[in-house]
Amino acid sequence: MENSTNPPYFNLTMFVNIGNYRYPTFVLCFLLYTFIISANLVIIVVISREKTLHEPMYIFIMCLSFNSLYGSAGFIFRFLGDLLSDTHLISRPACFTQIYVIYTYASYELTLLGIMAYDRYVAVCQPLHYHNKMTSKLVSKLVFLAWIYPAFSVAVCVYLASRLPLCGNKIPKVFCANWPVVKLSCVTTVLNNLVGMFVSTSTVFLPLAFVLYTYARIFLVCRKRSKEFKGKVIQSCLPHIITFVNYSITVFCDVALSRTNLENINPFLAVILSLEFVVIPPILNPLVYGLKLPEIRKLMLRMISCSKPD
């Protein structure tokens, strides 16, 4: 305890010295961020403007797009500045703010995918009761629960981490993360570990397990139905399955990276795996739902054609 300090700045050490390539990299990342904003805004505008899309599934898709904008903003603004900087120091308040934004973004994504799985389960397995069960009131409650619980639970984790006396300031990431900060602690972190395990279980593993359970039930129902029915189910569920699998892989890569000795990994590979977690889902989600769901695709094409000058 006597040697403990609370450094005013953290040093993000995973940034690789790429010399003059920093400028093309900055332009590429800026274009990617522009695409993230544009693509997700199109999804939000199309769903909000068209009353025919004011159905539970599309409301949840719109929430995913809002979350993509939220999470990418919490990371990319800072990342773009770091690309052009020779030093990668981030203030203590800014670091914990970034941790909160990125971790709530990750939790929101999983809880939203969980309630979307429930929506698909009711639509396929209990179609006659769908409109009675998936009412606007229930949808509002599910969305509120999907947002409020991660917001509170992640806040507890960040608060506990912010109170720890730290014996260093180096974070081996390109963004601030909770576990690397906790590992810098000069004192025991039993409470942080227990709370972190509980929050991870409730916001990550339970939604993942629930999605797997609902699709197992959907699969059992489809086994006994016609090819036409199976085709409709695949068309309806495939975008959600792609999003779920993609996000599960990115979460696994980030968790594995945080538990690995980064000195044994190629630095460029480590950066790519770290970026995948906060960049790929916001890019892929609007593409999957915009291109795969015919209702959204038709309305997007109609909007584009109407915006062209005569």
Side-chain angles (χ1 to χ4, degrees):
M1 284 289 293
E2 293 179 358
N3 296 326
S4 68
T5 60
N6 285 304
Y9 292 91
F10 290 100
N11 185 15
L12 304 175
T13 62
M14 195 185 283
F15 280 93
V16 180
N17 184 9
I18 55 177
N20 293 330
Y21 289 106
R22 69 172 68 182
Y23 301 106
T25 304
F26 174 88
V27 172
L28 175 62
C29 292
F30 180 78
L31 292 175
L32 285 176
Y33 185 48
T34 302
F35 175 82
I36 289 172
I37 294 175
S38 303
N40 284 284
L41 280 179
V42 167
I43 295 292
I44 292 170
V45 170
V46 167
I47 293 175
S48 61
R49 286 182 56 180
E50 294 294 331
K51 292 184 178 180
T52 56
L53 298 183
H54 291 180
E55 297 288 336
M57 179 174 68
Y58 299 107
I59 299 299
F60 298 144
I61 292 171
M62 186 169 65
C63 289
L64 277 181
S65 290
F66 273 119
N67 191 46
S68 294
L69 295 176
Y70 167 72
S72 58
F75 163 73
I76 293 184
F77 280 126
R78 170 78 199 187
F79 180 74
L80 290 174
D82 280 326
L83 283 175
L84 301 180
S85 177
D86 294 324
T87 59
H88 306 105
L89 299 178
I90 181 171
S91 69
R92 187 181 179 91
C95 184
F96 284 112
T97 300
Q98 188 178 61
I99 291 174
Y100 180 78
V101 171
I102 290 177
Y103 277 62
T104 49
Y105 150 76
S107 301
Y108 294 153
E109 192 87 2
L110 288 165
T111 51
L112 285 171
L113 288 173
I115 62 176
M116 291 174 75
Y118 175 72
D119 173 72
R120 293 299 84 206
Y121 164 74
V122 176
V124 174
C125 300
Q126 303 173 7
L128 298 179
H129 303 285
Y130 180 78
H131 292 290
N132 292 330
K133 286 194 171 186
M134 298 302 297
T135 62
S136 58
K137 187 175 181 179
L138 178 61
V139 169
S140 301
K141 288 181 178 179
L142 289 174
V143 170
F144 178 76
L145 182 62
W147 286 75
I148 195 64
Y149 178 72
F152 173 76
S153 58
V154 172
V156 173
C157 290
V158 173
Y159 172 72
L160 291 175
S162 68
R163 295 184 62 203
L164 291 173
L166 306 178
C167 291
N169 72 334
K170 293 183 178 180
I171 298 177
K173 301 275 282 185
V174 292
F175 56 85
C176 286
N178 192 66
W179 179 242
V181 171
V182 171
K183 288 198 295 186
L184 295 173
S185 175
C186 305
V187 298
T188 180
T189 59
V190 174
L191 179 60
N192 298 72
N193 295 339
L194 290 175
V195 172
M197 288 178 61
F198 175 77
V199 172
S200 298
T201 300
S202 58
T203 60
V204 177
F205 296 109
L206 284 181
L208 290 177
F210 180 73
V211 172
L212 293 175
Y213 168 76
T214 55
Y215 274 103
R217 295 290 300 273
I218 290 172
F219 174 76
L220 292 175
V221 169
C222 289
R223 286 180 60 190
K224 304 174 182 178
R225 305 298 291 271
S226 64
K227 289 185 178 180
E228 183 181 358
F229 178 84
K230 293 177 183 177
K232 291 180 179 179
V233 171
I234 291 174
Q235 185 182 48
S236 174
C237 295
L238 186 60
H240 181 262
I241 294 173
I242 293 173
T243 304
F244 169 71
V245 171
N246 166 69
Y247 197 72
S248 299
I249 293 172
T250 59
V251 168
F252 173 79
C253 289
D254 186 71
V255 171
L257 192 65
S258 66
R259 298 295 191 274
T260 303
N261 185 358
L262 297 176
E263 295 179 355
N264 299 328
I265 301 178
N266 182 288
F268 288 99
L269 177 62
V271 170
I272 290 172
L273 291 176
S274 184
L275 289 175
E276 182 185 39
F277 170 61
V278 288
V279 174
I280 299 300
I283 292 175
L284 188 63
N285 289 355
L287 288 176
V288 169
Y289 288 107
L291 297 177
K292 274 297 186 181
L293 292 179
E295 295 85 355
I296 294 181
R297 185 171 65 248
K298 290 176 184 177
L299 291 170
M300 288 173 63
L301 292 174
R302 189 191 307 171
M303 286 182 60
I304 293 172
S305 62
C306 291
S307 64
K308 290 182 180 179
D310 295 332

